[in-house]
mmCIF file of all heavy atoms in Angstrom:
data_model
loop_
_atom_site.group_PDB
_atom_site.id
_atom_site.type_symbol
_atom_site.label_atom_id
_atom_site.label_comp_id
_atom_site.label_asym_id
_atom_site.label_seq_id
_atom_site.Cartn_x
_atom_site.Cartn_y
_atom_site.Cartn_z
ATOM 1 N N ARG A 67 116.008 122.056 75.867
ATOM 2 C CA ARG A 67 117.135 121.812 74.958
ATOM 3 C C ARG A 67 116.815 122.231 73.529
ATOM 4 O O ARG A 67 117.713 122.645 72.799
ATOM 5 C CB ARG A 67 117.515 120.324 74.970
ATOM 6 C CG ARG A 67 117.935 119.798 76.316
ATOM 7 C CD ARG A 67 118.507 118.379 76.200
ATOM 8 N NE ARG A 67 117.529 117.403 75.739
ATOM 9 C CZ ARG A 67 117.664 116.671 74.623
ATOM 10 N NH1 ARG A 67 118.736 116.809 73.869
ATOM 11 N NH2 ARG A 67 116.745 115.789 74.306
ATOM 12 N N PHE A 68 115.565 122.090 73.118
ATOM 13 C CA PHE A 68 115.158 122.406 71.745
ATOM 14 C C PHE A 68 114.341 123.697 71.746
ATOM 15 O O PHE A 68 113.619 123.997 72.708
ATOM 16 C CB PHE A 68 114.294 121.284 71.170
ATOM 17 C CG PHE A 68 115.024 120.001 70.853
ATOM 18 C CD1 PHE A 68 116.312 119.750 71.300
ATOM 19 C CD2 PHE A 68 114.393 119.021 70.097
ATOM 20 C CE1 PHE A 68 116.971 118.569 70.995
ATOM 21 C CE2 PHE A 68 115.035 117.832 69.779
ATOM 22 C CZ PHE A 68 116.311 117.608 70.230
ATOM 23 N N ALA A 69 114.425 124.415 70.642
ATOM 24 C CA ALA A 69 113.620 125.627 70.487
ATOM 25 C C ALA A 69 113.135 125.718 69.048
ATOM 26 O O ALA A 69 113.943 125.692 68.117
ATOM 27 C CB ALA A 69 114.423 126.864 70.855
ATOM 28 N N ILE A 70 111.827 125.831 68.892
ATOM 29 C CA ILE A 70 111.230 125.952 67.556
ATOM 30 C C ILE A 70 110.892 127.416 67.303
ATOM 31 O O ILE A 70 110.509 128.152 68.223
ATOM 32 C CB ILE A 70 109.968 125.060 67.438
ATOM 33 C CG1 ILE A 70 109.447 125.038 66.001
ATOM 34 C CG2 ILE A 70 108.886 125.505 68.418
ATOM 35 C CD1 ILE A 70 108.342 124.003 65.777
ATOM 36 N N SER A 71 111.054 127.839 66.065
ATOM 37 C CA SER A 71 110.714 129.214 65.723
ATOM 38 C C SER A 71 110.262 129.281 64.271
ATOM 39 O O SER A 71 110.553 128.390 63.480
ATOM 40 C CB SER A 71 111.913 130.147 65.955
ATOM 41 O OG SER A 71 113.013 129.757 65.171
ATOM 42 N N LYS A 72 109.571 130.350 63.969
ATOM 43 C CA LYS A 72 109.024 130.536 62.625
ATOM 44 C C LYS A 72 109.554 131.852 62.056
ATOM 45 O O LYS A 72 109.556 132.872 62.754
ATOM 46 C CB LYS A 72 107.496 130.556 62.703
ATOM 47 C CG LYS A 72 106.797 130.635 61.369
ATOM 48 C CD LYS A 72 105.281 130.739 61.524
ATOM 49 C CE LYS A 72 104.623 129.420 61.824
ATOM 50 N NZ LYS A 72 103.154 129.493 61.673
ATOM 51 N N ASP A 73 110.028 131.817 60.833
ATOM 52 C CA ASP A 73 110.516 133.000 60.120
ATOM 53 C C ASP A 73 109.559 133.245 58.966
ATOM 54 O O ASP A 73 109.763 132.748 57.862
ATOM 55 C CB ASP A 73 111.941 132.730 59.623
ATOM 56 C CG ASP A 73 112.525 133.884 58.823
ATOM 57 O OD1 ASP A 73 111.838 134.889 58.628
ATOM 58 O OD2 ASP A 73 113.684 133.756 58.386
ATOM 59 N N LYS A 74 108.509 134.000 59.247
ATOM 60 C CA LYS A 74 107.456 134.177 58.240
ATOM 61 C C LYS A 74 107.938 134.873 56.975
ATOM 62 O O LYS A 74 107.602 134.436 55.877
ATOM 63 C CB LYS A 74 106.292 134.948 58.853
ATOM 64 C CG LYS A 74 105.432 134.129 59.801
ATOM 65 C CD LYS A 74 104.181 134.912 60.170
ATOM 66 C CE LYS A 74 103.183 134.086 60.918
ATOM 67 N NZ LYS A 74 101.917 134.814 61.162
ATOM 68 N N PRO A 75 108.727 135.936 57.050
ATOM 69 C CA PRO A 75 109.135 136.615 55.806
ATOM 70 C C PRO A 75 109.886 135.698 54.848
ATOM 71 O O PRO A 75 109.848 135.912 53.640
ATOM 72 C CB PRO A 75 110.010 137.753 56.304
ATOM 73 C CG PRO A 75 109.544 138.019 57.680
ATOM 74 C CD PRO A 75 109.196 136.663 58.234
ATOM 75 N N ASN A 76 110.578 134.707 55.399
ATOM 76 C CA ASN A 76 111.362 133.809 54.554
ATOM 77 C C ASN A 76 110.740 132.423 54.419
ATOM 78 O O ASN A 76 111.380 131.515 53.877
ATOM 79 C CB ASN A 76 112.787 133.687 55.104
ATOM 80 C CG ASN A 76 113.543 134.988 54.973
ATOM 81 O OD1 ASN A 76 113.724 135.494 53.863
ATOM 82 N ND2 ASN A 76 113.982 135.550 56.093
ATOM 83 N N ASN A 77 109.507 132.270 54.901
ATOM 84 C CA ASN A 77 108.774 131.007 54.762
ATOM 85 C C ASN A 77 109.544 129.831 55.344
ATOM 86 O O ASN A 77 109.620 128.763 54.729
ATOM 87 C CB ASN A 77 108.434 130.741 53.293
ATOM 88 C CG ASN A 77 107.673 131.880 52.665
ATOM 89 O OD1 ASN A 77 106.886 132.541 53.325
ATOM 90 N ND2 ASN A 77 107.930 132.126 51.394
ATOM 91 N N LYS A 78 110.107 130.028 56.531
ATOM 92 C CA LYS A 78 110.921 128.969 57.136
ATOM 93 C C LYS A 78 110.483 128.682 58.573
ATOM 94 O O LYS A 78 109.934 129.533 59.258
ATOM 95 C CB LYS A 78 112.395 129.363 57.125
ATOM 96 C CG LYS A 78 113.030 129.359 55.745
ATOM 97 C CD LYS A 78 114.519 129.619 55.826
ATOM 98 C CE LYS A 78 115.179 129.505 54.461
ATOM 99 N NZ LYS A 78 116.646 129.737 54.535
ATOM 100 N N VAL A 79 110.777 127.481 58.986
ATOM 101 C CA VAL A 79 110.616 127.067 60.374
ATOM 102 C C VAL A 79 111.935 126.447 60.808
ATOM 103 O O VAL A 79 112.547 125.690 60.039
ATOM 104 C CB VAL A 79 109.470 126.052 60.539
ATOM 105 C CG1 VAL A 79 109.306 125.661 62.010
ATOM 106 C CG2 VAL A 79 108.167 126.617 60.003
ATOM 107 N N TYR A 80 112.367 126.773 62.007
ATOM 108 C CA TYR A 80 113.640 126.277 62.506
ATOM 109 C C TYR A 80 113.437 125.412 63.753
ATOM 110 O O TYR A 80 112.461 125.570 64.486
ATOM 111 C CB TYR A 80 114.560 127.439 62.879
ATOM 112 C CG TYR A 80 114.907 128.344 61.735
ATOM 113 C CD1 TYR A 80 114.349 129.621 61.627
ATOM 114 C CD2 TYR A 80 115.799 127.938 60.745
ATOM 115 C CE1 TYR A 80 114.664 130.460 60.572
ATOM 116 C CE2 TYR A 80 116.119 128.770 59.689
ATOM 117 C CZ TYR A 80 115.549 130.027 59.608
ATOM 118 O OH TYR A 80 115.874 130.845 58.561
ATOM 119 N N LEU A 81 114.396 124.531 63.972
ATOM 120 C CA LEU A 81 114.473 123.804 65.234
ATOM 121 C C LEU A 81 115.917 123.861 65.708
ATOM 122 O O LEU A 81 116.793 123.230 65.111
ATOM 123 C CB LEU A 81 114.016 122.355 65.093
ATOM 124 C CG LEU A 81 113.946 121.575 66.403
ATOM 125 C CD1 LEU A 81 112.817 122.117 67.304
ATOM 126 C CD2 LEU A 81 113.738 120.077 66.157
ATOM 127 N N GLN A 82 116.160 124.634 66.730
ATOM 128 C CA GLN A 82 117.467 124.694 67.344
ATOM 129 C C GLN A 82 117.553 123.583 68.382
ATOM 130 O O GLN A 82 116.713 123.512 69.284
ATOM 131 C CB GLN A 82 117.696 126.054 68.019
ATOM 132 C CG GLN A 82 119.018 126.183 68.744
ATOM 133 C CD GLN A 82 120.209 126.164 67.803
ATOM 134 O OE1 GLN A 82 120.195 126.787 66.749
ATOM 135 N NE2 GLN A 82 121.253 125.422 68.180
ATOM 136 N N MET A 83 118.552 122.728 68.239
ATOM 137 C CA MET A 83 118.703 121.578 69.128
ATOM 138 C C MET A 83 120.051 121.680 69.832
ATOM 139 O O MET A 83 121.091 121.676 69.176
ATOM 140 C CB MET A 83 118.608 120.284 68.343
ATOM 141 C CG MET A 83 117.338 120.166 67.513
ATOM 142 S SD MET A 83 117.136 118.536 66.768
ATOM 143 C CE MET A 83 118.539 118.490 65.665
ATOM 144 N N ASN A 84 120.017 121.797 71.132
ATOM 145 C CA ASN A 84 121.226 121.894 71.945
ATOM 146 C C ASN A 84 121.355 120.687 72.863
ATOM 147 O O ASN A 84 120.369 119.986 73.120
ATOM 148 C CB ASN A 84 121.192 123.173 72.778
ATOM 149 C CG ASN A 84 121.125 124.415 71.936
ATOM 150 O OD1 ASN A 84 121.727 124.494 70.861
ATOM 151 N ND2 ASN A 84 120.394 125.423 72.414
ATOM 152 N N ASP A 85 122.555 120.466 73.344
ATOM 153 C CA ASP A 85 122.815 119.367 74.274
ATOM 154 C C ASP A 85 122.209 118.064 73.754
ATOM 155 O O ASP A 85 121.481 117.365 74.457
ATOM 156 C CB ASP A 85 122.252 119.700 75.655
ATOM 157 C CG ASP A 85 122.682 118.703 76.719
ATOM 158 O OD1 ASP A 85 123.732 118.035 76.521
ATOM 159 O OD2 ASP A 85 121.978 118.563 77.731
ATOM 160 N N LEU A 86 122.520 117.760 72.503
ATOM 161 C CA LEU A 86 121.940 116.583 71.874
ATOM 162 C C LEU A 86 122.378 115.293 72.564
ATOM 163 O O LEU A 86 123.514 115.192 73.073
ATOM 164 C CB LEU A 86 122.320 116.553 70.397
ATOM 165 C CG LEU A 86 121.483 117.514 69.533
ATOM 166 C CD1 LEU A 86 122.193 117.812 68.222
ATOM 167 C CD2 LEU A 86 120.112 116.925 69.283
#
Side-chain angles (χ1 to χ4, degrees):
R67 300 189 296 120
F68 289 13
I70 187 171
S71 60
K72 185 184 281 193
D73 178 359
K74 285 189 171 185
N76 293 300
N77 305 326
K78 289 186 175 181
V79 181
Y80 299 107
L81 186 68
Q82 177 67 43
M83 305 188 296
N84 299 324
D85 189 23
L86 282 160

